[in-house]
mmCIF file of all heavy atoms in Angstrom:
data_model
loop_
_atom_site.group_PDB
_atom_site.id
_atom_site.type_symbol
_atom_site.label_atom_id
_atom_site.label_comp_id
_atom_site.label_asym_id
_atom_site.label_seq_id
_atom_site.Cartn_x
_atom_site.Cartn_y
_atom_site.Cartn_z
ATOM 1 N N THR A 263 -30.103 70.456 -39.501
ATOM 2 C CA THR A 263 -29.114 71.100 -38.583
ATOM 3 C C THR A 263 -29.174 70.252 -37.217
ATOM 4 O O THR A 263 -30.256 69.943 -36.679
ATOM 5 C CB THR A 263 -29.566 72.507 -38.168
ATOM 6 O OG1 THR A 263 -29.556 73.229 -39.398
ATOM 7 C CG2 THR A 263 -28.576 73.150 -37.208
ATOM 8 N N ALA A 264 -27.992 69.918 -36.738
ATOM 9 C CA ALA A 264 -27.863 69.064 -35.604
ATOM 10 C C ALA A 264 -28.378 69.845 -34.356
ATOM 11 O O ALA A 264 -28.209 71.076 -34.191
ATOM 12 C CB ALA A 264 -26.434 68.702 -35.332
ATOM 13 N N ASP A 265 -29.184 69.277 -33.537
ATOM 14 C CA ASP A 265 -29.776 69.878 -32.383
ATOM 15 C C ASP A 265 -28.727 69.978 -31.233
ATOM 16 O O ASP A 265 -27.480 69.730 -31.459
ATOM 17 C CB ASP A 265 -30.981 69.108 -31.923
ATOM 18 C CG ASP A 265 -30.636 67.671 -31.372
ATOM 19 O OD1 ASP A 265 -29.512 67.269 -31.135
ATOM 20 O OD2 ASP A 265 -31.630 66.843 -31.342
ATOM 21 N N ASP A 266 -29.191 70.460 -30.071
ATOM 22 C CA ASP A 266 -28.218 70.668 -28.946
ATOM 23 C C ASP A 266 -27.483 69.458 -28.503
ATOM 24 O O ASP A 266 -26.371 69.513 -27.920
ATOM 25 C CB ASP A 266 -28.960 71.340 -27.746
ATOM 26 C CG ASP A 266 -29.527 72.743 -28.083
ATOM 27 O OD1 ASP A 266 -28.992 73.383 -29.061
ATOM 28 O OD2 ASP A 266 -30.336 73.180 -27.325
ATOM 29 N N ALA A 267 -28.130 68.251 -28.788
ATOM 30 C CA ALA A 267 -27.408 67.045 -28.317
ATOM 31 C C ALA A 267 -26.574 66.498 -29.458
ATOM 32 O O ALA A 267 -25.921 65.432 -29.382
ATOM 33 C CB ALA A 267 -28.529 65.974 -28.058
ATOM 34 N N GLY A 268 -26.476 67.270 -30.613
ATOM 35 C CA GLY A 268 -25.706 66.860 -31.736
ATOM 36 C C GLY A 268 -26.342 65.813 -32.668
ATOM 37 O O GLY A 268 -25.649 65.211 -33.480
ATOM 38 N N GLU A 269 -27.650 65.724 -32.496
ATOM 39 C CA GLU A 269 -28.417 64.647 -33.332
ATOM 40 C C GLU A 269 -29.024 65.345 -34.519
ATOM 41 O O GLU A 269 -29.609 66.488 -34.402
ATOM 42 C CB GLU A 269 -29.448 63.950 -32.507
ATOM 43 C CG GLU A 269 -28.763 63.164 -31.318
ATOM 44 C CD GLU A 269 -29.713 62.433 -30.441
ATOM 45 O OE1 GLU A 269 -30.999 62.726 -30.620
ATOM 46 O OE2 GLU A 269 -29.427 61.579 -29.589
ATOM 47 N N TRP A 270 -29.015 64.720 -35.650
ATOM 48 C CA TRP A 270 -29.652 65.275 -36.852
ATOM 49 C C TRP A 270 -30.371 64.055 -37.603
ATOM 50 O O TRP A 270 -30.020 62.976 -37.440
ATOM 51 C CB TRP A 270 -28.749 65.959 -37.795
ATOM 52 C CG TRP A 270 -27.591 65.008 -38.222
ATOM 53 C CD1 TRP A 270 -26.321 64.805 -37.589
ATOM 54 C CD2 TRP A 270 -27.590 64.218 -39.410
ATOM 55 N NE1 TRP A 270 -25.619 63.882 -38.315
ATOM 56 C CE2 TRP A 270 -26.381 63.447 -39.424
ATOM 57 C CE3 TRP A 270 -28.557 63.905 -40.345
ATOM 58 C CZ2 TRP A 270 -26.014 62.538 -40.401
ATOM 59 C CZ3 TRP A 270 -28.245 62.957 -41.348
ATOM 60 C CH2 TRP A 270 -27.041 62.313 -41.379
ATOM 61 N N LYS A 271 -31.386 64.514 -38.384
ATOM 62 C CA LYS A 271 -32.122 63.433 -39.171
ATOM 63 C C LYS A 271 -32.801 64.201 -40.391
ATOM 64 O O LYS A 271 -33.323 65.224 -40.174
ATOM 65 C CB LYS A 271 -33.256 62.824 -38.306
ATOM 66 C CG LYS A 271 -34.026 61.885 -39.022
ATOM 67 C CD LYS A 271 -35.006 61.112 -38.212
ATOM 68 C CE LYS A 271 -35.999 61.956 -37.517
ATOM 69 N NZ LYS A 271 -36.963 61.088 -36.682
ATOM 70 N N VAL A 272 -32.687 63.584 -41.506
ATOM 71 C CA VAL A 272 -33.358 64.056 -42.712
ATOM 72 C C VAL A 272 -34.356 63.060 -43.250
ATOM 73 O O VAL A 272 -34.102 61.885 -42.985
ATOM 74 C CB VAL A 272 -32.362 64.448 -43.865
ATOM 75 C CG1 VAL A 272 -31.372 65.556 -43.312
ATOM 76 C CG2 VAL A 272 -31.665 63.234 -44.444
ATOM 77 N N LYS A 273 -35.371 63.506 -43.905
ATOM 78 C CA LYS A 273 -36.336 62.582 -44.458
ATOM 79 C C LYS A 273 -36.274 62.881 -45.943
ATOM 80 O O LYS A 273 -36.416 64.039 -46.494
ATOM 81 C CB LYS A 273 -37.762 62.806 -44.003
ATOM 82 C CG LYS A 273 -37.972 62.285 -42.586
ATOM 83 C CD LYS A 273 -39.405 62.297 -42.164
ATOM 84 C CE LYS A 273 -39.580 61.683 -40.770
ATOM 85 N NZ LYS A 273 -41.075 61.623 -40.452
ATOM 86 N N LEU A 274 -36.126 61.871 -46.811
ATOM 87 C CA LEU A 274 -36.145 61.904 -48.240
ATOM 88 C C LEU A 274 -37.467 61.938 -48.751
ATOM 89 O O LEU A 274 -38.390 61.315 -48.251
ATOM 90 C CB LEU A 274 -35.340 60.756 -48.794
ATOM 91 C CG LEU A 274 -33.848 60.630 -48.304
ATOM 92 C CD1 LEU A 274 -33.184 59.370 -48.901
ATOM 93 C CD2 LEU A 274 -32.979 61.863 -48.671
ATOM 94 N N GLN A 275 -37.688 62.477 -49.960
ATOM 95 C CA GLN A 275 -38.874 62.273 -50.679
ATOM 96 C C GLN A 275 -38.951 60.792 -51.102
ATOM 97 O O GLN A 275 -37.972 60.265 -51.412
ATOM 98 C CB GLN A 275 -38.998 63.251 -51.886
ATOM 99 C CG GLN A 275 -39.135 64.711 -51.438
ATOM 100 C CD GLN A 275 -40.389 64.994 -50.751
ATOM 101 O OE1 GLN A 275 -41.496 64.590 -51.192
ATOM 102 N NE2 GLN A 275 -40.344 65.737 -49.679
ATOM 103 N N PRO A 276 -40.107 60.273 -51.177
ATOM 104 C CA PRO A 276 -40.280 58.787 -51.561
ATOM 105 C C PRO A 276 -39.655 58.529 -52.990
ATOM 106 O O PRO A 276 -39.681 59.292 -53.908
ATOM 107 C CB PRO A 276 -41.796 58.561 -51.666
ATOM 108 C CG PRO A 276 -42.308 59.477 -50.696
ATOM 109 C CD PRO A 276 -41.533 60.796 -50.850
ATOM 110 N N ILE A 277 -38.828 57.513 -52.943
ATOM 111 C CA ILE A 277 -38.006 56.996 -54.123
ATOM 112 C C ILE A 277 -38.497 55.626 -54.530
ATOM 113 O O ILE A 277 -38.696 54.796 -53.663
ATOM 114 C CB ILE A 277 -36.591 57.020 -53.796
ATOM 115 C CG1 ILE A 277 -36.079 58.508 -53.516
ATOM 116 C CG2 ILE A 277 -35.720 56.449 -55.021
ATOM 117 C CD1 ILE A 277 -34.708 58.581 -53.038
ATOM 118 N N LYS A 278 -38.743 55.334 -55.819
ATOM 119 C CA LYS A 278 -39.146 54.073 -56.244
ATOM 120 C C LYS A 278 -37.966 53.077 -56.120
ATOM 121 O O LYS A 278 -36.833 53.391 -55.960
ATOM 122 C CB LYS A 278 -39.544 54.064 -57.717
ATOM 123 C CG LYS A 278 -40.809 54.948 -58.054
ATOM 124 C CD LYS A 278 -41.136 54.963 -59.484
ATOM 125 C CE LYS A 278 -42.394 55.752 -59.713
ATOM 126 N NZ LYS A 278 -42.788 55.784 -61.152
ATOM 127 N N ALA A 279 -38.362 51.781 -56.123
ATOM 128 C CA ALA A 279 -37.400 50.725 -56.111
ATOM 129 C C ALA A 279 -36.345 50.788 -57.121
ATOM 130 O O ALA A 279 -36.690 51.047 -58.265
ATOM 131 C CB ALA A 279 -38.122 49.341 -56.096
ATOM 132 N N GLY A 280 -35.076 50.514 -56.722
ATOM 133 C CA GLY A 280 -34.059 50.587 -57.676
ATOM 134 C C GLY A 280 -32.715 50.837 -57.072
ATOM 135 O O GLY A 280 -32.553 50.842 -55.824
ATOM 136 N N GLY A 281 -31.675 51.056 -57.904
ATOM 137 C CA GLY A 281 -30.409 51.290 -57.531
ATOM 138 C C GLY A 281 -29.397 50.407 -58.368
ATOM 139 O O GLY A 281 -29.851 49.817 -59.348
ATOM 140 N N PRO A 282 -28.168 50.386 -58.097
ATOM 141 C CA PRO A 282 -27.560 50.972 -56.937
ATOM 142 C C PRO A 282 -27.188 52.474 -57.091
ATOM 143 O O PRO A 282 -27.058 52.938 -58.172
ATOM 144 C CB PRO A 282 -26.164 50.182 -56.764
ATOM 145 C CG PRO A 282 -25.882 49.789 -58.157
ATOM 146 C CD PRO A 282 -27.223 49.567 -58.849
ATOM 147 N N PHE A 283 -27.263 53.190 -55.957
ATOM 148 C CA PHE A 283 -26.958 54.659 -55.977
ATOM 149 C C PHE A 283 -25.836 54.845 -54.888
ATOM 150 O O PHE A 283 -25.558 54.175 -54.037
ATOM 151 C CB PHE A 283 -28.245 55.391 -55.424
ATOM 152 C CG PHE A 283 -29.377 55.121 -56.306
ATOM 153 C CD1 PHE A 283 -30.447 54.405 -55.805
ATOM 154 C CD2 PHE A 283 -29.534 55.641 -57.495
ATOM 155 C CE1 PHE A 283 -31.595 54.134 -56.519
ATOM 156 C CE2 PHE A 283 -30.637 55.388 -58.359
ATOM 157 C CZ PHE A 283 -31.717 54.663 -57.756
ATOM 158 N N ASP A 284 -25.162 55.980 -55.199
ATOM 159 C CA ASP A 284 -24.278 56.607 -54.171
ATOM 160 C C ASP A 284 -25.027 57.600 -53.311
ATOM 161 O O ASP A 284 -26.054 58.261 -53.813
ATOM 162 C CB ASP A 284 -23.093 57.284 -54.913
ATOM 163 C CG ASP A 284 -22.126 56.318 -55.549
ATOM 164 O OD1 ASP A 284 -22.097 55.128 -55.147
ATOM 165 O OD2 ASP A 284 -21.404 56.762 -56.439
ATOM 166 N N MET A 285 -24.590 57.711 -52.137
ATOM 167 C CA MET A 285 -25.209 58.745 -51.175
ATOM 168 C C MET A 285 -24.106 59.382 -50.516
ATOM 169 O O MET A 285 -23.090 58.724 -49.955
ATOM 170 C CB MET A 285 -26.145 58.021 -50.165
ATOM 171 C CG MET A 285 -26.686 58.969 -49.054
ATOM 172 S SD MET A 285 -27.709 58.118 -47.870
ATOM 173 C CE MET A 285 -29.164 57.716 -48.734
ATOM 174 N N THR A 286 -24.124 60.697 -50.496
ATOM 175 C CA THR A 286 -23.111 61.562 -49.893
ATOM 176 C C THR A 286 -23.706 62.360 -48.729
ATOM 177 O O THR A 286 -24.690 63.020 -48.922
ATOM 178 C CB THR A 286 -22.450 62.478 -50.850
ATOM 179 O OG1 THR A 286 -21.989 61.812 -51.944
ATOM 180 C CG2 THR A 286 -21.301 63.272 -50.254
ATOM 181 N N ILE A 287 -23.084 62.230 -47.522
ATOM 182 C CA ILE A 287 -23.522 62.945 -46.338
ATOM 183 C C ILE A 287 -22.404 63.939 -46.014
ATOM 184 O O ILE A 287 -21.250 63.503 -45.799
ATOM 185 C CB ILE A 287 -23.764 62.035 -45.165
ATOM 186 C CG1 ILE A 287 -24.879 61.025 -45.495
ATOM 187 C CG2 ILE A 287 -24.146 62.827 -43.923
ATOM 188 C CD1 ILE A 287 -24.395 59.687 -46.046
ATOM 189 N N THR A 288 -22.684 65.278 -45.971
ATOM 190 C CA THR A 288 -21.593 66.249 -45.797
ATOM 191 C C THR A 288 -21.952 67.221 -44.581
ATOM 192 O O THR A 288 -23.096 67.657 -44.629
ATOM 193 C CB THR A 288 -21.441 67.110 -47.174
ATOM 194 O OG1 THR A 288 -21.292 66.203 -48.220
ATOM 195 C CG2 THR A 288 -20.315 68.043 -46.963
ATOM 196 N N GLY A 289 -21.025 67.345 -43.742
ATOM 197 C CA GLY A 289 -20.981 68.392 -42.730
ATOM 198 C C GLY A 289 -19.598 68.969 -42.806
ATOM 199 O O GLY A 289 -19.216 69.481 -43.762
ATOM 200 N N LYS A 290 -19.006 68.958 -41.628
ATOM 201 C CA LYS A 290 -17.606 69.424 -41.614
ATOM 202 C C LYS A 290 -16.681 68.357 -42.257
ATOM 203 O O LYS A 290 -15.531 68.636 -42.515
ATOM 204 C CB LYS A 290 -17.193 69.739 -40.180
ATOM 205 C CG LYS A 290 -17.952 70.908 -39.643
ATOM 206 C CD LYS A 290 -17.575 71.151 -38.101
ATOM 207 C CE LYS A 290 -18.301 72.401 -37.647
ATOM 208 N NZ LYS A 290 -18.028 72.576 -36.200
#
Side-chain angles (χ1 to χ4, degrees):
T263 300
D265 62 18
D266 291 343
E269 298 176 350
W270 59 269
K271 178 171 67 175
V272 303
K273 287 189 176 183
L274 303 173
Q275 292 297 314
I277 296 173
K278 293 181 179 180
F283 303 107
D284 289 339
M285 177 182 288
T286 303
I287 300 95
T288 306
K290 294 178 180 176

